[in-house]
Amino acid sequence: MESTVAQKLDAIYNLQLIDSKLDAIVKVRGALPEEVQDLEDEIAGYETRLEKFQREIDSYEEDIKNLKESIKDSEKLIKKYQDQQMNVRNNREYDAITKELELQDLEIQVARKKIAEAGVKIDQKKLDLDDLEAVMQDRQKDLDLKKNELSTIVAESEAEEAKLNADREKSVKKVDERLYKSYEKIRANARNGLAVVMVKRGACGGCFNTVPPQRQADIREKKKLIVCEHCGRILAGVEDEIVEEKPKKKRTAKG
Ligand SMILES: [Zn+2]
């Protein structure tokens, strides 16, 4: 069945109205899903850093534990050497044991110094960890708020969106196939998602450039498809002339 240009224009304009409403719904949540995602990524990054800090602290604590063990070992050796020193047979033996004692004493000093250093590092890491946890909690609060906001918005528009999608399915079936292809192409390139517009107050409803009177007259006739010579959008009608049109073609409610 061949439809007239007027019918084609009506069908494509109807689709545009539905798509514009769907665009508006998506636009309302627009930045939120992205913001939620960004915050989730940021928090995941903090968690990774927190785990790294914790591992570093654990490793310093392990070092301290080992150093304390080695001090105990040195102390045992010192005790042993001191006992041996009581029973030496000559100076050479005495001196050798003295050297061993000095060595173990030095080992203990080095270990104590390392324990102190590790303690300082642990304290610093714990401060870093506290700071990071504070920032993370802050972001988590932001995230919770935004998630709530998003789910509220989605819940509010869910029913409307479903209805519009159902309407859209019906509407698309009435649209000429070739016209639909150009519609999609124009829409993809238009910043405001408008591919089909009315002439309003003598100007294109998409780019607001003036449409010459003769062209407006042609558009009103709906004998052929006319696109805006400035932006390429399909001009579906002239809104100012609406009162002169047949009532059933009235479609000024939106736009
Ligand atoms: Zn235009």
Side-chain angles (χ1 to χ4, degrees):
M1 189 192 85
E2 192 67 16
S3 52
T4 66
V5 171
Q7 284 169 332
K8 284 180 182 175
L9 283 171
D10 283 352
I12 199 77
Y13 188 61
N14 187 47
L15 178 64
Q16 175 70 72
L17 292 179
I18 293 168
D19 278 342
S20 290
K21 284 179 192 165
L22 282 166
D23 287 350
I25 286 174
V26 172
K27 201 178 172 189
V28 168
R29 27 183 115 133
L32 269 177
E34 219 173 279
E35 283 169 13
V36 165
Q37 185 60 55
D38 285 352
L39 278 169
E40 278 172 346
D41 292 348
E42 194 182 338
I43 289 167
Y46 292 143
E47 270 163 2
T48 308
R49 275 172 70 193
L50 276 182
E51 280 165 20
K52 188 172 161 273
F53 283 170
Q54 193 54 58
R55 274 201 306 277
E56 285 169 351
I57 289 170
D58 291 349
S59 151
Y60 287 133
E61 275 168 354
E62 183 66 22
D63 288 349
I64 289 174
K65 201 179 127 222
N66 291 334
L67 287 163
K68 281 182 175 166
E69 282 302 314
S70 83
I71 288 175
K72 268 187 203 160
D73 291 345
S74 291
E75 283 169 348
K76 271 185 213 155
L77 281 174
I78 286 171
K79 183 94 185 42
K80 193 183 99 186
Y81 293 146
Q82 281 170 341
D83 290 345
Q84 282 177 2
Q85 217 172 25
M86 309 271 223
N87 306 305
V88 288
R89 284 162 300 182
N90 52 48
N91 278 344
R92 226 182 101 250
E93 270 185 42
Y94 186 89
D95 289 346
I97 291 172
T98 301
K99 269 214 168 90
E100 285 299 327
L101 279 169
E102 281 170 3
L103 190 70
Q104 290 309 317
D105 191 50
L106 195 67
E107 294 260 334
I108 289 173
Q109 284 179 47
V110 169
R112 283 191 180 137
K113 189 164 170 276
K114 282 183 179 168
I115 287 171
E117 283 166 2
V120 169
K121 281 175 181 162
I122 287 172
D123 288 347
Q124 187 54 53
K125 282 286 160 204
K126 278 183 175 167
L127 286 178
D128 292 348
L129 203 120
D130 287 347
D131 287 349
L132 198 58
E133 261 175 353
V135 173
M136 205 170 121
Q137 275 170 15
D138 217 42
R139 290 292 180 279
Q140 187 63 50
K141 273 185 212 155
D142 282 354
L143 176 62
D144 292 344
L145 282 174
K146 286 203 189 294
K147 266 185 160 172
N148 271 337
E149 207 182 323
L150 181 60
S151 65
T152 306
I153 290 170
V154 169
E156 275 170 1
S157 54
E158 236 170 11
E160 196 193 347
E161 193 181 10
K163 192 194 170 295
L164 284 169
N165 277 321
D167 289 350
R168 189 185 196 279
E169 240 178 86
K170 281 183 224 155
S171 176
V172 162
K173 283 178 192 155
K174 293 174 189 160
V175 174
D176 176 79
E177 209 173 303
R178 275 180 55 199
L179 191 57
Y180 182 66
K181 276 184 186 149
S182 350
Y183 169 82
E184 291 280 86
K185 214 187 242 175
I186 301 169
R187 231 170 92 72
N189 293 318
R191 255 191 321 125
N192 54 10
L194 291 176
V196 187
V197 294
M198 289 294 199
V199 175
K200 291 177 187 174
R201 287 182 288 277
C204 165
C207 70
F208 309 111
N209 277 296
T210 306
V211 180
Q214 182 53 52
R215 216 170 160 73
Q216 287 189 43
D218 293 343
I219 294 161
R220 251 179 252 127
E221 276 189 354
K222 299 191 178 189
K223 291 266 165 60
K224 56 180 177 178
L225 280 170
I226 295 174
V227 299
C228 171
E229 49 191 350
H230 298 283
C231 67
R233 289 185 175 91
I234 299 158
L235 296 166
V238 180
E239 208 172 75
D240 293 343
E241 299 301 313
I242 216 78
V243 283
E244 290 172 17
E245 287 186 347
K246 288 179 228 164
K248 68 165 184 154
K249 284 188 182 171
K250 186 176 167 157
R251 50 182 180 277
T252 42
K254 299 284 172 221

mmCIF file of all heavy atoms in Angstrom, residues 201-227:
data_model
loop_
_atom_site.group_PDB
_atom_site.id
_atom_site.type_symbol
_atom_site.label_atom_id
_atom_site.label_comp_id
_atom_site.label_asym_id
_atom_site.label_seq_id
_atom_site.Cartn_x
_atom_site.Cartn_y
_atom_site.Cartn_z
ATOM 1 N N ARG A 201 7.388 29.645 13.977
ATOM 2 C CA ARG A 201 7.601 31.091 13.805
ATOM 3 C C ARG A 201 8.577 31.379 12.667
ATOM 4 O O ARG A 201 9.519 32.158 12.806
ATOM 5 C CB ARG A 201 8.090 31.716 15.117
ATOM 6 C CG ARG A 201 6.977 31.804 16.165
ATOM 7 C CD ARG A 201 7.471 32.459 17.431
ATOM 8 N NE ARG A 201 8.382 31.559 18.161
ATOM 9 C CZ ARG A 201 7.955 30.590 18.973
ATOM 10 N NH1 ARG A 201 6.663 30.404 19.178
ATOM 11 N NH2 ARG A 201 8.808 29.826 19.587
ATOM 12 N N GLY A 202 8.346 30.687 11.569
ATOM 13 C CA GLY A 202 9.129 30.946 10.366
ATOM 14 C C GLY A 202 10.525 30.374 10.353
ATOM 15 O O GLY A 202 11.304 30.640 9.431
ATOM 16 N N ALA A 203 10.873 29.561 11.380
ATOM 17 C CA ALA A 203 12.231 29.018 11.440
ATOM 18 C C ALA A 203 12.205 27.506 11.621
ATOM 19 O O ALA A 203 11.231 26.943 12.140
ATOM 20 C CB ALA A 203 12.994 29.662 12.593
ATOM 21 N N CYS A 204 13.278 26.856 11.180
ATOM 22 C CA CYS A 204 13.429 25.418 11.386
ATOM 23 C C CYS A 204 13.450 25.133 12.891
ATOM 24 O O CYS A 204 14.197 25.769 13.628
ATOM 25 C CB CYS A 204 14.730 24.952 10.732
ATOM 26 S SG CYS A 204 15.281 23.308 11.249
ATOM 27 N N GLY A 205 12.639 24.175 13.329
ATOM 28 C CA GLY A 205 12.565 23.835 14.746
ATOM 29 C C GLY A 205 13.797 23.096 15.260
ATOM 30 O O GLY A 205 13.919 22.852 16.457
ATOM 31 N N GLY A 206 14.707 22.755 14.361
ATOM 32 C CA GLY A 206 15.927 22.060 14.783
ATOM 33 C C GLY A 206 17.113 22.993 14.886
ATOM 34 O O GLY A 206 17.827 22.981 15.880
ATOM 35 N N CYS A 207 17.319 23.823 13.870
ATOM 36 C CA CYS A 207 18.506 24.694 13.868
ATOM 37 C C CYS A 207 18.134 26.176 13.974
ATOM 38 O O CYS A 207 19.016 27.031 14.078
ATOM 39 C CB CYS A 207 19.335 24.460 12.604
ATOM 40 S SG CYS A 207 18.556 25.060 11.083
ATOM 41 N N PHE A 208 16.844 26.469 13.931
ATOM 42 C CA PHE A 208 16.328 27.834 14.102
ATOM 43 C C PHE A 208 16.725 28.805 12.996
ATOM 44 O O PHE A 208 16.622 30.020 13.158
ATOM 45 C CB PHE A 208 16.712 28.403 15.492
ATOM 46 C CG PHE A 208 16.338 27.466 16.599
ATOM 47 C CD1 PHE A 208 17.314 26.807 17.338
ATOM 48 C CD2 PHE A 208 14.998 27.207 16.887
ATOM 49 C CE1 PHE A 208 16.978 25.906 18.341
ATOM 50 C CE2 PHE A 208 14.642 26.304 17.892
ATOM 51 C CZ PHE A 208 15.635 25.660 18.619
ATOM 52 N N ASN A 209 17.180 28.265 11.878
ATOM 53 C CA ASN A 209 17.416 29.139 10.730
ATOM 54 C C ASN A 209 16.080 29.405 10.033
ATOM 55 O O ASN A 209 15.182 28.569 10.041
ATOM 56 C CB ASN A 209 18.383 28.476 9.751
ATOM 57 C CG ASN A 209 19.835 28.684 10.157
ATOM 58 O OD1 ASN A 209 20.318 29.815 10.181
ATOM 59 N ND2 ASN A 209 20.510 27.598 10.483
ATOM 60 N N THR A 210 15.986 30.582 9.449
ATOM 61 C CA THR A 210 14.746 30.990 8.791
ATOM 62 C C THR A 210 14.438 30.092 7.588
ATOM 63 O O THR A 210 15.336 29.720 6.833
ATOM 64 C CB THR A 210 14.873 32.454 8.307
ATOM 65 O OG1 THR A 210 15.260 33.240 9.442
ATOM 66 C CG2 THR A 210 13.564 32.975 7.748
ATOM 67 N N VAL A 211 13.168 29.731 7.476
ATOM 68 C CA VAL A 211 12.714 28.985 6.301
ATOM 69 C C VAL A 211 11.948 29.985 5.409
ATOM 70 O O VAL A 211 10.986 30.597 5.857
ATOM 71 C CB VAL A 211 11.794 27.811 6.714
ATOM 72 C CG1 VAL A 211 11.321 27.038 5.487
ATOM 73 C CG2 VAL A 211 12.516 26.880 7.689
ATOM 74 N N PRO A 212 12.384 30.170 4.161
ATOM 75 C CA PRO A 212 11.751 31.170 3.279
ATOM 76 C C PRO A 212 10.249 30.897 3.086
ATOM 77 O O PRO A 212 9.833 29.731 3.089
ATOM 78 C CB PRO A 212 12.496 31.001 1.954
ATOM 79 C CG PRO A 212 13.757 30.307 2.295
ATOM 80 C CD PRO A 212 13.483 29.464 3.505
ATOM 81 N N PRO A 213 9.448 31.937 2.918
ATOM 82 C CA PRO A 213 7.990 31.787 2.811
ATOM 83 C C PRO A 213 7.549 30.781 1.745
ATOM 84 O O PRO A 213 6.639 29.982 1.989
ATOM 85 C CB PRO A 213 7.523 33.202 2.452
ATOM 86 C CG PRO A 213 8.566 34.089 3.018
ATOM 87 C CD PRO A 213 9.857 33.340 2.915
ATOM 88 N N GLN A 214 8.183 30.822 0.562
ATOM 89 C CA GLN A 214 7.774 29.885 -0.492
ATOM 90 C C GLN A 214 7.997 28.430 -0.062
ATOM 91 O O GLN A 214 7.171 27.563 -0.294
ATOM 92 C CB GLN A 214 8.542 30.194 -1.799
ATOM 93 C CG GLN A 214 8.136 29.301 -2.971
ATOM 94 C CD GLN A 214 6.615 29.289 -3.210
ATOM 95 O OE1 GLN A 214 5.984 30.352 -3.332
ATOM 96 N NE2 GLN A 214 6.024 28.104 -3.254
ATOM 97 N N ARG A 215 9.140 28.223 0.628
ATOM 98 C CA ARG A 215 9.467 26.887 1.118
ATOM 99 C C ARG A 215 8.457 26.460 2.185
ATOM 100 O O ARG A 215 8.021 25.305 2.227
ATOM 101 C CB ARG A 215 10.882 26.918 1.704
ATOM 102 C CG ARG A 215 11.651 25.651 1.461
ATOM 103 C CD ARG A 215 13.116 25.844 1.841
ATOM 104 N NE ARG A 215 13.764 24.559 2.064
ATOM 105 C CZ ARG A 215 14.081 23.730 1.085
ATOM 106 N NH1 ARG A 215 13.819 24.031 -0.162
ATOM 107 N NH2 ARG A 215 14.664 22.576 1.370
ATOM 108 N N GLN A 216 8.078 27.420 3.025
ATOM 109 C CA GLN A 216 7.055 27.123 4.046
ATOM 110 C C GLN A 216 5.749 26.690 3.384
ATOM 111 O O GLN A 216 5.079 25.763 3.859
ATOM 112 C CB GLN A 216 6.795 28.360 4.913
ATOM 113 C CG GLN A 216 7.924 28.659 5.884
ATOM 114 C CD GLN A 216 7.537 29.745 6.869
ATOM 115 O OE1 GLN A 216 6.431 29.754 7.394
ATOM 116 N NE2 GLN A 216 8.453 30.687 7.095
ATOM 117 N N ALA A 217 5.418 27.355 2.297
ATOM 118 C CA ALA A 217 4.189 27.022 1.575
ATOM 119 C C ALA A 217 4.275 25.587 1.041
ATOM 120 O O ALA A 217 3.309 24.816 1.146
ATOM 121 C CB ALA A 217 3.970 28.014 0.437
ATOM 122 N N ASP A 218 5.445 25.235 0.495
ATOM 123 C CA ASP A 218 5.650 23.869 -0.013
ATOM 124 C C ASP A 218 5.534 22.836 1.113
ATOM 125 O O ASP A 218 4.969 21.760 0.940
ATOM 126 C CB ASP A 218 7.046 23.746 -0.662
ATOM 127 C CG ASP A 218 7.149 24.587 -1.932
ATOM 128 O OD1 ASP A 218 6.099 24.980 -2.471
ATOM 129 O OD2 ASP A 218 8.297 24.843 -2.367
ATOM 130 N N ILE A 219 6.120 23.199 2.253
ATOM 131 C CA ILE A 219 6.077 22.281 3.403
ATOM 132 C C ILE A 219 4.629 22.048 3.842
ATOM 133 O O ILE A 219 4.210 20.919 4.114
ATOM 134 C CB ILE A 219 6.931 22.841 4.580
ATOM 135 C CG1 ILE A 219 8.418 22.866 4.186
ATOM 136 C CG2 ILE A 219 6.733 22.022 5.850
ATOM 137 C CD1 ILE A 219 9.278 23.782 5.038
ATOM 138 N N ARG A 220 3.862 23.140 3.844
ATOM 139 C CA ARG A 220 2.451 23.051 4.238
ATOM 140 C C ARG A 220 1.661 22.135 3.304
ATOM 141 O O ARG A 220 0.782 21.411 3.746
ATOM 142 C CB ARG A 220 1.831 24.451 4.234
ATOM 143 C CG ARG A 220 1.542 24.969 5.631
ATOM 144 C CD ARG A 220 0.943 26.363 5.546
ATOM 145 N NE ARG A 220 1.918 27.345 5.995
ATOM 146 C CZ ARG A 220 2.281 28.406 5.307
ATOM 147 N NH1 ARG A 220 1.771 28.628 4.110
ATOM 148 N NH2 ARG A 220 3.132 29.252 5.809
ATOM 149 N N GLU A 221 2.029 22.154 2.067
ATOM 150 C CA GLU A 221 1.305 21.327 1.084
ATOM 151 C C GLU A 221 1.520 19.830 1.284
ATOM 152 O O GLU A 221 0.666 19.018 0.946
ATOM 153 C CB GLU A 221 1.746 21.713 -0.345
ATOM 154 C CG GLU A 221 0.985 22.905 -0.883
ATOM 155 C CD GLU A 221 1.279 23.121 -2.361
ATOM 156 O OE1 GLU A 221 2.161 22.415 -2.919
ATOM 157 O OE2 GLU A 221 0.634 23.994 -2.956
ATOM 158 N N LYS A 222 2.708 19.477 1.798
ATOM 159 C CA LYS A 222 3.059 18.069 2.058
ATOM 160 C C LYS A 222 2.953 17.190 0.812
ATOM 161 O O LYS A 222 2.505 16.048 0.871
ATOM 162 C CB LYS A 222 2.196 17.504 3.189
ATOM 163 C CG LYS A 222 2.372 18.247 4.503
ATOM 164 C CD LYS A 222 1.721 17.531 5.656
ATOM 165 C CE LYS A 222 1.961 18.296 6.953
ATOM 166 N NZ LYS A 222 1.538 17.571 8.123
ATOM 167 N N LYS A 223 3.374 17.775 -0.299
ATOM 168 C CA LYS A 223 3.347 17.001 -1.550
ATOM 169 C C LYS A 223 4.672 16.262 -1.742
ATOM 170 O O LYS A 223 4.750 15.296 -2.473
ATOM 171 C CB LYS A 223 3.100 17.948 -2.739
ATOM 172 C CG LYS A 223 1.699 18.530 -2.735
ATOM 173 C CD LYS A 223 0.759 17.679 -3.600
ATOM 174 C CE LYS A 223 -0.704 17.997 -3.351
ATOM 175 N NZ LYS A 223 -1.053 19.406 -3.634
ATOM 176 N N LYS A 224 5.709 16.808 -1.139
ATOM 177 C CA LYS A 224 7.015 16.129 -1.203
ATOM 178 C C LYS A 224 7.776 16.323 0.103
ATOM 179 O O LYS A 224 7.462 17.218 0.887
ATOM 180 C CB LYS A 224 7.828 16.675 -2.383
ATOM 181 C CG LYS A 224 8.030 18.173 -2.341
ATOM 182 C CD LYS A 224 8.852 18.645 -3.531
ATOM 183 C CE LYS A 224 8.972 20.171 -3.487
ATOM 184 N NZ LYS A 224 9.774 20.723 -4.557
ATOM 185 N N LEU A 225 8.786 15.467 0.287
ATOM 186 C CA LEU A 225 9.609 15.568 1.493
ATOM 187 C C LEU A 225 10.545 16.761 1.360
ATOM 188 O O LEU A 225 11.269 16.887 0.371
ATOM 189 C CB LEU A 225 10.450 14.303 1.665
ATOM 190 C CG LEU A 225 9.736 13.092 2.267
ATOM 191 C CD1 LEU A 225 10.620 11.864 2.144
ATOM 192 C CD2 LEU A 225 9.396 13.358 3.727
ATOM 193 N N ILE A 226 10.514 17.625 2.346
ATOM 194 C CA ILE A 226 11.391 18.792 2.301
ATOM 195 C C ILE A 226 12.273 18.795 3.554
ATOM 196 O O ILE A 226 11.777 18.613 4.672
ATOM 197 C CB ILE A 226 10.560 20.090 2.219
ATOM 198 C CG1 ILE A 226 9.806 20.111 0.880
ATOM 199 C CG2 ILE A 226 11.463 21.320 2.360
ATOM 200 C CD1 ILE A 226 8.838 21.248 0.726
ATOM 201 N N VAL A 227 13.574 18.951 3.318
ATOM 202 C CA VAL A 227 14.493 19.012 4.461
ATOM 203 C C VAL A 227 15.011 20.439 4.613
ATOM 204 O O VAL A 227 15.037 21.212 3.651
ATOM 205 C CB VAL A 227 15.689 18.029 4.319
ATOM 206 C CG1 VAL A 227 15.206 16.589 4.233
ATOM 207 C CG2 VAL A 227 16.553 18.383 3.120
#
